[in-house]
Amino acid sequence: MAAFVRRRMVPRLPPPRVERGLIAWLRWRLFATPLQAALTLVSLAVLITVLWPAIRFLVVDAVWQGDTREACLGATGACWPFVKAKFGQLIYGFYPAAERWRPDLVFALGAILLAPLLVPAAPLKGLNAVLFFAVYPVLSFILLVGGSFGLEHVETRRWGGLLITLVVAFTGIIASLPLGILLALGRRSELPVVRWLAVAFIEFWRGVPLITVLFFATYMLPLFLPAGVSFDALLRVLVGVALFSAAYMAEVVRGGLQAIPRSQYEGGYALGLPYWQVMGFIVLPQALTRVIPGIVNNFIGLFKDTTLVLIVAIFDLLGQLRAAFSDPAWATPTTLYTGFAFAGMIYFVFCFAMSRYSLFVERRLGVSAERL
Amino acid sequence: MVRSPKKEPAAVEMVRVHKWYGEFHVLRGIDLKVARGERIVICGPSGSGKSTLIRCINGLERHHKGRIVVNGVELTDDLGRIDVVRREAGMMFQQFNLFPHLTVMENCTLAPIWVRRLPRRQAEEIAMRYLERVHIPEQAHKYPGQLSGGQQQRVAIARALCMNPKIMLFDEPTSALDPEMIKEVLDVMVDLAREGQTMIVVSHEMGFAREVADRIAFMDEGQIVEMAPPKQFFAHPKHGRTKLFLSQILH
């Protein structure tokens, strides 16, 4: 056998050139093969047949001007004056018109506090988080409910529309994550009593439909409470929604916990870190980043499920919309479609925003997670 | 060769320690006393209970019978005591067990800040000192996944040293490393040994054992079969099982 010895090492070479630019992209991504070209054209055709009528309805044929139903009577497109006329009702429900600056302020404060929290580069994250998660809910409660600081008391029965949707969704989202984490840890606990309680709680709430929970909270709970003790109807619904979504969240978080190898726990314990610090600093940060898609999935589901409060006579965005439909002063051929299109767009904006933001967070955390 | 002053408690004292995994009797009556400043290397075939033994010393595994006293603290079911023992016993793992979501510096300062309650700045100074000692100060702000295996294990050593442990436990620290990286880790361990660190090392690196161990323990079937200073261990193994083992690995 002849021996081989390399006399000259191969130097580093740059990678081969790739075609760049729009033409190359079209060529390779959309029209690389006849089959691909055919699929591209079919997709394009489908897109146009679906999108064009929608654009016509929403924009081209839509009625934009007018103050009464007469403006929309002959229209084949959306009747935007209807939305304009009912806008206050859709956003605030029957919140007194003179007091609507209070929900407005709550919305604005929420946006102002949330935005910098979502931008990784913004400073003072700790303070910002305290303001948003601790101060803001209290402040919102005082502002919305009133009855103190010279604010007129507004009963929750009069709240409605997007305000209710956001209050229920926000409370559910903020409460369900920490509760869900505790439940997930409980379910994996080595203490049997803690484990059984967590399992019982999770399985109970996952076993009943949200509608049942809402019914129970609204109509049956008062029967079990001693006479004279009563809680606000909306509060009961909020607690029901929070516990319900916490049970789902717990299972998502548990999935993440299972993905963390034992060696990570042992690395922490071996340093002398106690249980809660091992969980808080080592296990949960890794577990939660792995289940961001599941967590956000739950948030989005919860946001849309809030609309079920309709059946316990709380009128959220969709509830107010249906109430508005029954107004004979706005009975036009396209009222129904316009209303649903408007509500659909609002839901879509919120849910799509959550979805995109979670993708952004995943990519950003992927920087360190990929380097496992 | 025992160098500790009489008044100090032994670093580790195991008396008739038994442990089972289900029906499997993994540790069968372990008696082991390690003095302050002493270096013990434990070797033996796989499944002989070496790792289980060393993991019992900082309570990662619970023993079922017998006594384990570490730095004067007996390991019982009391979680507080287990934490005390772990604080004083640094451990290195085969797979390093660094925290991938934290930088090297954060890995090193987590326990000093939260367990020792050191101010962050001081913890970082200490971490830097130990990272220099294991020759990778320039990697302080990288993530573990960006380092080679040998570098990761040296970070793990620095992380343990940051807690200023009275005893260091090594569970096959070089078994997962490429041959070219084993030496850089062993060099750091030899340095530690020269400085008088109490060490218990589960390893098959017989060159390392010969160089730094005060005693070598050979384990088989959950028992310490033979224990002797290196010269005697290699030159005149007494037990038949030890002879067989040595004949298989020393070639």
Side-chain angles (χ1 to χ4, degrees), chain A residues 263-264 266 269 281 371-372, chain B residues 55 86 97-98 101 114 145:
Chain A
S263 59
Q264 286 292 305
E266 290 181 348
Y269 286 135
F281 294 129
R371 294 171 186 159
L372 268 172
Chain B
R55 288 160 59 85
R86 284 172 179 162
N97 296 12
L98 296 178
H101 62 303
W114 291 95

Side-chain angles (χ1 to χ4, degrees), chain A residues 184 188 249-260 287-288 290-291:
Chain A
R188 286 170 60 86
M249 196 58 78
E251 290 298 282
V252 173
V253 174
R254 191 165 69 94
L257 290 174
Q258 278 170 344
I260 306 304
L288 293 179
R290 278 165 208 232
V291 291

